[in-house]
């Protein structure tokens, strides 16, 4: 071991940042849309360093080991809440733009090792071969853990390429629903079916007897489990904060001190609103927090002032102009610029080296920082509408159906998904602008920032742009589609509805698997296809679901509308 460590530039006894440095060719990550040249091999485009990539790979490997034992234990009706919840947090921590801190990932790895042993004890003796991941033990130092991570990276040349592709789709889908399960658990709801599948599916990636169609079927089931998870989160959010209602959101500023909240977690926003009430501090949303303004129990706080900025990829240039404290509560963080790093905080599973992290629910450090900052002058801006969840839309379903039957509404377009910095995303702006005036656009997730400030007008009082919410609110879009199909006595695929989706990271993979599980076809996906999908797997999706890449706005509209 010492000779190997020295070859890679490590000292067995030291753990300095310099000695943790990995040779650049050892990194490989292609789980997000912006992966360079089919996979980041030197440094993540997201900012992920090679040593963090290796530790995240090791964490996933460790989770597979836990899953093997936990799945065996469940076969004997034995389970453990600590193990179940850790699996969700461990997967979520490896999602793109969540945890960039090597020390934080190391802590999770060591927890995983302890819980693997706990799961093995729960399972008891078994009469089958035990895979290496289920026997793995963590090295003593962080440097040695990084080397272990290099040995268990994403690439696996021993596997058939198509089998490996479907395994990765499965793992990324699980990472996606893990984010939603985590948000629901923060509010207090969980579902055992999600835990059971997580153990079974991750354990299946260690089973060499399984073939391509076994993993295809697991991917389809992953889509079903994501639907269960999104439904759970929808219930958690609406039970706690009410169903979203159409609400204007100001894009300007109010005079006073300010805190900007970026992410997805509504419970964290609520706690911050409670702790800042009456202190002269205005709270602004950023990115995927924009839909929070539509929830009655959140919008009742007068100091929830408005939305600042756009999608996650613009934070470096936008945050420099925010004269207050900034806090991330879920994925989407980028490498902080020095212009605002001293005002930045993280919470939950989000971490960045040398950025203060808030553990628990005491936000006094964030509040104190906001009080020390300059704050905003009063500068009201444009208003946009949010809050068109399934409850709000279905409350006027009769008017929508009547408009369709009368020919006033010709077609619905779901144009949404993740935004990103890679070229080609102007397509979604152009598409929305070119949608005919007798058509309605449904949108969700941060992809809406490509066009949500444009004025689309209305059709008989029905807004032509309906902001359904966050990425997890794909559940609302599905509910709306199913209800319309029922009203028109047809299949969802027979509705005048087309899905034009943009993807960036693993939650988008989970949502796509849900749509495939539901049998929804003719989806257009962009701006580029995932690097982890092989040609044969892509052909399977095309042949069975007619998934196609976006082309140009004009060509796609002509093909859809005829």
């Amino acid at each position: 071991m010492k000779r190997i460590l020295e070859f890679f530039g490590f000292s067995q006894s030291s753990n300095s940042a310099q000695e943790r440095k990995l040779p650049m060719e050892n990194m490989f990550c292609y789980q997000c849309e912006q992966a360079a040249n089919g996979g980041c091999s030197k440094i993540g485009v997201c900012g992920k360093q090679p040593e963090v990539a290796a530790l995240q790979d090791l964490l996933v490997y460790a989770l597979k080991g836990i899953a093997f034992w936990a799945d065996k234990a469940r076969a004997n009706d034995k389970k453990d809440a600590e193990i179940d919840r850790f699996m969700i947090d461990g997967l979520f921590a490896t999602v793109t733009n969540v945890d960039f801190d090597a020390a934080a990932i190391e802590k999770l790895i060591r927890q995983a090792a302890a819980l693997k042993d706990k799961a093995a004890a729960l399972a008891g003796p078994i009469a089958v071969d035990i895979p290496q991941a289920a026997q793995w033990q963590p090295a003593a130092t962080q440097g040695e853990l990084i080397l272990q991570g290099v040995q268990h990276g994403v690439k696996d040349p021993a596997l058939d390429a198509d089998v490996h592709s479907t395994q990765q789709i499965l793992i990324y889908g699980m990472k996606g629903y893990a984010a939603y399960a985590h948000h629901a658990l923060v509010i207090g709801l969980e579902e055992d079916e999600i835990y059971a599948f997580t153990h079974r599916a991750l354990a299946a990636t260690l089973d060499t007897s399984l073939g391509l169609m076994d993993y295809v079927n697991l991917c389809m089931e992953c889509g079903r489990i994501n639907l269960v998870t999104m439904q759970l989160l929808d219930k958690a959010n609406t039970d706690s904060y009410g169903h979203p209602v159409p609400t204007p959101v100001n894009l300007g500023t109010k005079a006073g001190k300010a805190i900007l909240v970026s992410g997805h977690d509504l419970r964290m926003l609520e706690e911050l609103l409670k702790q800042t009430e009456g202190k002269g501090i205005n709270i602004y949303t950023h990115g995927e927090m924009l839909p929070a303004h539509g929830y009655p129990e959140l919008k009742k706080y007068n100091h929830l002032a408005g939305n600042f900025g756009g999608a996650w990829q613009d934070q470096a240039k936008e945050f420099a102009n925010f004269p207050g404290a900034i806090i991330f509560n879920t994925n989407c963080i980028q490498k902080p610029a020095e212009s605002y790093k001293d005002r930045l905080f993280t919470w939950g599973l989000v971490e960045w080296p040398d950025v203060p992290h808030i553990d628990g629910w005491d936000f006094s450090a964030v509040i104190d920082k906001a009080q020390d900052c300059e704050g905003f002058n009063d500068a009201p801006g444009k208003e946009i509408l949010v809050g068109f969840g399934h409850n709000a839309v279905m409350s006027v379903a009769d008017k929508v159906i009547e408009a369709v039957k009368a020919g006033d509404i010709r077609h619905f377009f779901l144009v949404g998904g993740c935004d990103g910095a890679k070229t080609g995303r102007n397509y979604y702006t152009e598409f929305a602008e070119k949608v005919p005036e007798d058509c309605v656009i449904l949108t969700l997730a941060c992809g809406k920032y490509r066009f949500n400030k444009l004025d689309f007008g209305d059709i008989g009082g029905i807004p032509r742009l309906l902001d359904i919410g966050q990425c997890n609110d794909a559940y609302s879009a599905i509910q709306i589609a199913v209800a319309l199909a029922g009203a028109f006595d047809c299949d969802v695929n027979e509705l005048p509805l087309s899905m034009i989706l943009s993807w960036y990271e693993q939650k988008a993979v989970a949502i796509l698997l849900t749509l495939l599980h539901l049998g929804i076809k003719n989806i257009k996906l962009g701006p580029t296809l995932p690097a982890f999908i092989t040609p044969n797997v892509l052909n399977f999706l095309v042949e069975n679901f007619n998934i196609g890449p976006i082309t140009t706005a004009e060509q796609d509209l002509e093909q859809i509308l005829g």
Side-chain angles (χ1 to χ4, degrees):
M1 174 64 79
K2 180 178 180 181
R3 183 177 178 183
I4 296 174
L5 286 171
E6 289 174 348
F7 177 80
F8 282 96
F10 294 101
S11 163
Q12 188 153 1
S13 61
S14 182
N15 199 27
S16 70
Q18 180 62 36
E19 289 164 335
R20 292 200 306 268
K21 192 75 173 175
L22 270 176
M24 292 304 187
E25 64 268 25
N26 284 307
M27 176 179 177
F28 183 78
C29 180
Y30 62 178
Q31 68 177 0
C32 82
E33 182 264 341
Q34 67 180 7
N37 301 316
C40 295
S41 58
K42 295 183 177 181
I43 187 173
V45 175
C46 65
K48 183 165 60 176
Q49 298 299 312
E51 60 266 29
V52 174
L55 290 170
Q56 289 187 355
D57 287 343
L58 183 59
L59 177 56
V60 172
Y61 183 73
L63 293 172
K64 291 179 181 181
I66 297 173
F68 174 83
W69 293 112
D71 187 53
K72 299 297 182 188
R74 280 177 170 268
N76 295 320
D77 295 324
K78 296 179 180 179
K79 55 189 177 182
D80 181 273
E82 182 185 18
I83 292 171
D84 292 339
R85 293 168 182 171
F86 179 82
M87 295 292 289
I88 294 299
D89 286 354
L91 285 168
F92 184 24
T94 67
V95 167
T96 305
N97 296 95
V98 176
D99 195 336
F100 292 83
D101 192 323
I105 298 294
E106 178 187 1
K107 183 178 178 181
L108 289 171
I109 290 170
R110 299 200 182 281
Q111 283 182 262
L115 290 176
K116 175 181 64 64
D117 294 340
K118 184 178 184 181
L122 197 65
I126 58 174
V128 297
D129 291 338
I130 301 173
Q132 289 184 349
Q135 304 178 64
W136 165 85
Q137 292 298 323
T141 67
Q142 188 183 106
E144 292 172 305
L145 287 176
I146 291 169
L147 278 180
Q148 288 182 320
V150 170
Q151 295 167 2
H152 301 294
V154 175
K155 290 183 176 180
D156 191 346
L159 270 182
D160 172 81
D162 297 328
V163 169
H164 185 250
S165 177
T166 52
Q167 281 192 0
Q168 294 307 303
I169 294 169
L170 175 62
I171 290 171
Y172 298 153
M174 286 192 286
K175 287 186 180 189
Y177 75 62
Y180 302 144
H182 172 86
H183 299 326
L185 184 58
V186 167
I187 295 178
L189 290 187
E190 55 191 320
E191 171 57 59
D192 191 64
E193 185 180 15
I194 299 168
Y195 298 137
F197 177 79
T198 302
H199 298 312
R200 180 165 60 87
L202 264 186
T205 65
L206 301 173
D207 189 343
T208 58
S209 70
L210 299 182
L212 179 61
M213 289 310 300
D214 295 307
Y215 293 112
V216 168
N217 291 334
L218 281 168
C219 285
M220 293 301 104
E221 189 171 357
C222 181
R224 183 184 69 80
I225 293 298
N226 182 57
L227 182 62
V228 170
T229 310
M230 289 193 298
Q231 182 179 19
L232 182 73
L233 180 54
D234 180 79
K235 177 175 172 55
N237 287 337
T238 56
D239 283 358
S240 299
Y241 308 115
H243 283 278
V245 295
T247 303
V249 180
N250 199 290
L251 303 182
T253 61
K254 289 184 178 180
K257 305 295 184 177
I259 297 175
L260 183 63
V261 182
S262 186
H264 303 72
D265 200 285
L266 299 183
R267 167 83 189 283
M268 177 263 155
L269 175 64
E270 179 192 32
E271 292 299 323
L272 182 63
L273 286 167
K274 289 178 180 178
Q275 292 178 36
T276 51
E277 197 166 19
K279 295 185 177 180
I281 299 174
N282 291 316
I283 306 301
Y284 296 84
T285 58
H286 173 264
E288 288 268 54
M289 290 305 299
L290 170 62
H293 293 271
Y295 287 90
E297 290 302 308
L298 296 176
K299 63 181 290 187
K300 72 180 183 182
Y301 292 94
N302 292 328
H303 61 302
L304 181 60
N307 190 75
F308 180 89
W312 65 272
Q313 76 275 2
D314 294 327
Q315 63 193 254
K317 63 183 180 183
E318 292 176 344
F319 288 3
N321 299 316
F322 187 84
I326 304 163
I327 184 166
F328 275 90
N329 65 33
T330 58
N331 59 304
C332 294
I333 192 170
Q334 285 184 308
K335 181 180 180 180
E338 293 302 320
S339 58
Y340 60 85
K341 189 176 180 180
D342 65 329
R343 299 179 277 114
L344 187 64
F345 298 83
T346 60
W347 177 87
L349 289 173
V350 185
E351 298 206 38
W352 191 282
D354 303 321
V355 168
H357 185 73
I358 305 299
D359 287 314
W361 300 98
D362 181 0
F363 297 106
S364 56
V366 185
I367 294 168
D368 291 345
K369 176 59 71 173
Q371 296 285 21
D372 291 340
C373 292
E374 181 180 353
F376 278 116
N377 294 319
D378 196 44
K382 178 184 176 69
E383 288 187 334
I384 58 175
L385 280 173
V386 302
F388 293 96
H390 59 90
N391 195 64
V393 174
M394 297 321 299
S395 69
V396 293
D398 56 337
K399 296 178 182 178
V400 174
I401 294 166
E402 182 181 343
V404 174
K405 290 181 176 179
D408 296 328
I409 295 178
R410 178 171 33 149
H411 205 86
F412 296 90
F413 291 93
L414 175 58
V415 186
C418 312
D419 204 0
K422 205 169 183 178
T423 57
R425 290 183 177 272
N426 286 340
Y427 164 92
Y428 296 94
T429 308
E430 295 170 7
F431 189 96
E433 289 175 327
K434 288 179 167 59
V435 166
E437 293 186 0
D438 59 355
C439 300
V440 172
I441 301 171
L442 310 175
T443 192
L444 50 81
C446 62
K448 63 173 159 273
Y449 282 107
R450 291 283 167 172
F451 48 81
N452 69 337
K453 297 177 180 67
L454 302 177
D455 185 4
F456 290 94
D458 66 277
I459 300 174
I462 301 168
R464 287 191 57 237
L465 180 66
L466 300 174
D467 186 344
I468 297 173
Q470 294 181 344
C471 54
N472 53 280
D473 290 313
Y475 174 75
S476 272
I478 290 167
Q479 293 302 105
I480 292 168
V482 169
L484 288 174
F488 288 104
D489 193 24
C490 68
D491 183 83
V492 170
N493 290 309
E494 297 172 326
L495 284 172
L497 168 68
S498 300
M499 298 192 180
I500 317 296
L501 305 181
S502 58
W503 85 282
Y504 174 74
E505 41 88 329
Q506 296 80 70
K507 288 182 285 185
V509 176
I511 291 170
L512 179 61
L513 292 179
T514 295
L515 296 176
L516 300 183
H517 156 71
L518 293 171
I520 294 174
K521 299 181 179 181
N522 305 316
I523 298 167
K524 290 195 177 295
L525 185 65
T528 56
L529 295 177
F532 48 81
I533 294 182
T534 60
N536 287 335
V537 174
L538 178 59
N539 286 338
F540 174 87
L541 295 175
V542 172
E543 290 173 3
N544 288 274
F545 300 99
N546 200 29
I547 287 181
I550 58 173
T551 58
T552 67
E554 294 86 353
Q555 290 176 17
D556 289 343
L557 278 167
E558 183 178 357
Q559 180 192 353
I560 293 166
L561 295 175

